Amino acid sequence: MGFDWAFFFDRIVNPGAPYLNALVRTVTMAVLAMVLGLLIGLVVGFGRLSRYGVIRAACAFYVWLIRGIPVLVLLVMLFSGMAAAGLFRFSDIELLGLKLTASFQAAVIGLAIHEGAYMAEIVRNGVQAVALGQVEAARSLGMSSWQVTWRIVIPQATRVIVPPFGNDFNHMLKTTSLASVIGVQEIFLLTEAMSATTFKSFELLTVVALNYLVLTAIWNTIQGVIETRLRAHEIDRPVRTWWQSLVVYLSPTPGSAERRA
Amino acid sequence: MSGGARKPLVRALDVRKSFGETAVLRGVDLEVQRGEVLCIIGPSGSGKSTFLRCINQLETYQAGRIYIGDDLIGYRESGNRLLPLPSRQVVLQRRHIGMVFQQFNLFWHMTVLENIVEAPIRVLGQPLAQAREQAMRLLDRVGMTAKANAYPMKLSGGQQQRAAIARALAMNPELMLFDEPTSALDPETTGEVLAVISELASSGMTMIIVTHEMGFARQVADRVVLMEEGQIRHEAAPEQFFGDKAPARLKAFLSTIH
């Protein structure tokens, strides 16, 4: 039999509406989980630097606990485990005219809880990387704690946080495939369902692998643009427009033109 | 600006502080008059910087009193006891005490101009145009106009420190604190920073300067104090302080510097 190239290319050119929907679902799930995970990470990460021991301990416990549990186990616990124990059962809801299935909600929340623990460590490192001297300088100018946090700490911590955040999102795009286990209709579940009827599983899996590859490649490009913009303080000129940044990012040695000048 | 004309701007009375078991300040008594330039010298670990940082509450002191004008810094008095002020009020007290640090501490993600207008806009609520205009005047005063739009990373240490001085001045402080402002600088750039501080001193600004630059202290100070083991050990006008009649202990310290 061998690899059915015709079938393979047909799947790429004509993926069909159900598959495209699943692709949108994959991306939506990753983005929502990442946004929620970032919020959890900000709260827990700053919590780990709290002046109150109880808050520090609680946040450290969260990180320790969640990083010790496989995402797959977490997802099944949230969706099936809690329902089986009668603790909580996710149900389909409508939000702004969009139908969110029970399994989709569980997947987003589970992935966010998982991501939050990792983001917390990233946030904590970022905040600690901001030189204490700058915080003292800001305080000496009469800035309040909030002003110091929002104007000095967060903008600088962001530069440190963005690269590992990007790596986590890259990871998240692929980790969404685990949501297939609780029945989220994302691209991997659809691929498996099609494999069962067509028996061309290798071709279909190659297509889905390529899809993940394209998603992560697109994200890596976006991440590069963001990082270039955040490096503005290293060069004596205003922040570039996004397309200028893209050109610099895609050129062989990013930013070399400025350094020579 | 209440009180008599002779009332000192800064009054420190028996200020004490320990870090754990280590007593860093063992009863510091000091007065600084309005318009006076005071230099504090002394060996490292003598508590000079800690004392300076207590004045604007970057460190808290544990006993004694520090007054700026009529304000007791960091505390309110209740009978004989000192009760810490809520941080909101400490923030207010800091507004008009400028501080210049050894490591400059410019905000790394902002241009020089943004560094200077930040606090006047956020803390004092100045309109942007007014803050910028004032910032450009200050940059002119410290000779940094050309670098207004540069990021700190692109500046030499001396340029960073001059920008940091302009940043502190933008809050119109009535007191300026300098914590070893030239210790992190190359000899070539030390001079340009000292020149800016000298100009400020002659303009009538009240200043407390912790420094190891004896020649500078001699030239710029109205009064010099020696701090040792958390106490003021000697205090005199610069001519006497560095003169032949200075006490033996002071001469011994000065000889370790030169």
PDB file of all heavy atoms in Angstrom, chain B residues 77 97 99 103 127 137 141 144 167 176 205:
ATOM      1  N   GLU B  77       4.196  60.487  67.173  1.00  0.00           N
ATOM      2  CA  GLU B  77       4.455  60.334  68.594  1.00  0.00           C
ATOM      3  C   GLU B  77       3.143  60.172  69.330  1.00  0.00           C
ATOM      4  O   GLU B  77       2.193  60.917  69.112  1.00  0.00           O
ATOM      5  CB  GLU B  77       5.185  61.573  69.113  1.00  0.00           C
ATOM      6  CG  GLU B  77       6.569  61.239  69.561  1.00  0.00           C
ATOM      7  CD  GLU B  77       7.450  62.455  69.650  1.00  0.00           C
ATOM      8  OE1 GLU B  77       7.283  63.375  68.821  1.00  0.00           O
ATOM      9  OE2 GLU B  77       8.302  62.480  70.542  1.00  0.00           O
ATOM     10  N   ILE B  97      12.272  64.907  49.453  1.00  0.00           N
ATOM     11  CA  ILE B  97      13.638  64.541  49.814  1.00  0.00           C
ATOM     12  C   ILE B  97      14.213  63.807  48.602  1.00  0.00           C
ATOM     13  O   ILE B  97      13.791  62.708  48.283  1.00  0.00           O
ATOM     14  CB  ILE B  97      13.658  63.601  51.035  1.00  0.00           C
ATOM     15  CG1 ILE B  97      12.867  64.220  52.199  1.00  0.00           C
ATOM     16  CG2 ILE B  97      15.103  63.321  51.445  1.00  0.00           C
ATOM     17  CD1 ILE B  97      12.698  63.272  53.375  1.00  0.00           C
ATOM     18  N   MET B  99      17.022  61.799  46.386  1.00  0.00           N
ATOM     19  CA  MET B  99      18.138  60.931  46.727  1.00  0.00           C
ATOM     20  C   MET B  99      18.881  60.522  45.458  1.00  0.00           C
ATOM     21  O   MET B  99      18.268  60.226  44.437  1.00  0.00           O
ATOM     22  CB  MET B  99      17.646  59.682  47.460  1.00  0.00           C
ATOM     23  CG  MET B  99      18.794  58.783  47.902  1.00  0.00           C
ATOM     24  SD  MET B  99      18.373  57.917  49.428  1.00  0.00           S
ATOM     25  CE  MET B  99      19.925  57.171  49.848  1.00  0.00           C
ATOM     26  N   GLN B 103      24.696  53.551  42.617  1.00  0.00           N
ATOM     27  CA  GLN B 103      24.531  52.823  41.346  1.00  0.00           C
ATOM     28  C   GLN B 103      23.553  53.521  40.393  1.00  0.00           C
ATOM     29  O   GLN B 103      22.974  52.868  39.527  1.00  0.00           O
ATOM     30  CB  GLN B 103      24.060  51.391  41.614  1.00  0.00           C
ATOM     31  CG  GLN B 103      25.031  50.560  42.420  1.00  0.00           C
ATOM     32  CD  GLN B 103      26.332  50.301  41.673  1.00  0.00           C
ATOM     33  OE1 GLN B 103      26.391  50.414  40.451  1.00  0.00           O
ATOM     34  NE2 GLN B 103      27.380  49.972  42.416  1.00  0.00           N
ATOM     35  N   PRO B 127       1.104  68.403  34.465  1.00  0.00           N
ATOM     36  CA  PRO B 127       0.805  68.110  33.056  1.00  0.00           C
ATOM     37  C   PRO B 127       2.108  67.773  32.323  1.00  0.00           C
ATOM     38  O   PRO B 127       3.183  68.270  32.675  1.00  0.00           O
ATOM     39  CB  PRO B 127       0.217  69.411  32.517  1.00  0.00           C
ATOM     40  CG  PRO B 127       0.073  70.331  33.666  1.00  0.00           C
ATOM     41  CD  PRO B 127       0.844  69.804  34.815  1.00  0.00           C
ATOM     42  N   ARG B 137      14.964  71.884  31.184  1.00  0.00           N
ATOM     43  CA  ARG B 137      15.765  72.876  31.916  1.00  0.00           C
ATOM     44  C   ARG B 137      16.794  72.188  32.807  1.00  0.00           C
ATOM     45  O   ARG B 137      17.956  72.574  32.865  1.00  0.00           O
ATOM     46  CB  ARG B 137      14.846  73.749  32.786  1.00  0.00           C
ATOM     47  CG  ARG B 137      14.318  74.994  32.102  1.00  0.00           C
ATOM     48  CD  ARG B 137      13.922  76.067  33.125  1.00  0.00           C
ATOM     49  NE  ARG B 137      13.085  75.546  34.194  1.00  0.00           N
ATOM     50  CZ  ARG B 137      11.761  75.439  34.127  1.00  0.00           C
ATOM     51  NH1 ARG B 137      11.126  75.819  33.040  1.00  0.00           N
ATOM     52  NH2 ARG B 137      11.075  74.966  35.150  1.00  0.00           N
ATOM     53  N   ARG B 141      20.889  72.057  32.815  1.00  0.00           N
ATOM     54  CA  ARG B 141      21.676  72.390  34.010  1.00  0.00           C
ATOM     55  C   ARG B 141      22.750  71.334  34.271  1.00  0.00           C
ATOM     56  O   ARG B 141      23.850  71.657  34.723  1.00  0.00           O
ATOM     57  CB  ARG B 141      20.722  72.477  35.199  1.00  0.00           C
ATOM     58  CG  ARG B 141      21.356  72.984  36.462  1.00  0.00           C
ATOM     59  CD  ARG B 141      20.279  73.308  37.479  1.00  0.00           C
ATOM     60  NE  ARG B 141      20.875  73.660  38.755  1.00  0.00           N
ATOM     61  CZ  ARG B 141      20.188  73.834  39.880  1.00  0.00           C
ATOM     62  NH1 ARG B 141      18.872  73.682  39.867  1.00  0.00           N
ATOM     63  NH2 ARG B 141      20.795  74.154  40.996  1.00  0.00           N
ATOM     64  N   MET B 144      23.063  67.570  29.955  1.00  0.00           N
ATOM     65  CA  MET B 144      22.677  66.301  29.343  1.00  0.00           C
ATOM     66  C   MET B 144      21.592  66.476  28.282  1.00  0.00           C
ATOM     67  O   MET B 144      20.949  65.500  27.887  1.00  0.00           O
ATOM     68  CB  MET B 144      22.146  65.355  30.438  1.00  0.00           C
ATOM     69  CG  MET B 144      23.209  64.798  31.344  1.00  0.00           C
ATOM     70  SD  MET B 144      24.099  63.461  30.536  1.00  0.00           S
ATOM     71  CE  MET B 144      22.788  62.241  30.455  1.00  0.00           C
ATOM     72  N   ARG B 167      16.774  63.858  37.711  1.00  0.00           N
ATOM     73  CA  ARG B 167      15.522  63.180  38.071  1.00  0.00           C
ATOM     74  C   ARG B 167      15.102  63.534  39.500  1.00  0.00           C
ATOM     75  O   ARG B 167      13.932  63.808  39.762  1.00  0.00           O
ATOM     76  CB  ARG B 167      15.694  61.659  37.933  1.00  0.00           C
ATOM     77  CG  ARG B 167      14.468  60.875  38.325  1.00  0.00           C
ATOM     78  CD  ARG B 167      14.649  59.393  38.103  1.00  0.00           C
ATOM     79  NE  ARG B 167      15.655  58.833  39.009  1.00  0.00           N
ATOM     80  CZ  ARG B 167      15.959  57.535  39.065  1.00  0.00           C
ATOM     81  NH1 ARG B 167      15.355  56.682  38.250  1.00  0.00           N
ATOM     82  NH2 ARG B 167      16.871  57.098  39.895  1.00  0.00           N
ATOM     83  N   MET B 176      18.553  67.297  49.509  1.00  0.00           N
ATOM     84  CA  MET B 176      19.094  66.288  48.601  1.00  0.00           C
ATOM     85  C   MET B 176      20.066  65.397  49.372  1.00  0.00           C
ATOM     86  O   MET B 176      20.955  65.886  50.073  1.00  0.00           O
ATOM     87  CB  MET B 176      19.842  66.955  47.435  1.00  0.00           C
ATOM     88  CG  MET B 176      18.940  67.534  46.361  1.00  0.00           C
ATOM     89  SD  MET B 176      18.216  66.278  45.270  1.00  0.00           S
ATOM     90  CE  MET B 176      19.618  65.869  44.243  1.00  0.00           C
ATOM     91  N   MET B 205      21.071  74.773  47.712  1.00  0.00           N
ATOM     92  CA  MET B 205      20.338  73.560  48.052  1.00  0.00           C
ATOM     93  C   MET B 205      20.890  72.962  49.349  1.00  0.00           C
ATOM     94  O   MET B 205      22.102  72.958  49.562  1.00  0.00           O
ATOM     95  CB  MET B 205      20.500  72.551  46.902  1.00  0.00           C
ATOM     96  CG  MET B 205      19.916  71.176  47.144  1.00  0.00           C
ATOM     97  SD  MET B 205      18.117  71.164  47.234  1.00  0.00           S
ATOM     98  CE  MET B 205      17.685  71.379  45.518  1.00  0.00           C
TER      99      MET B 205
END
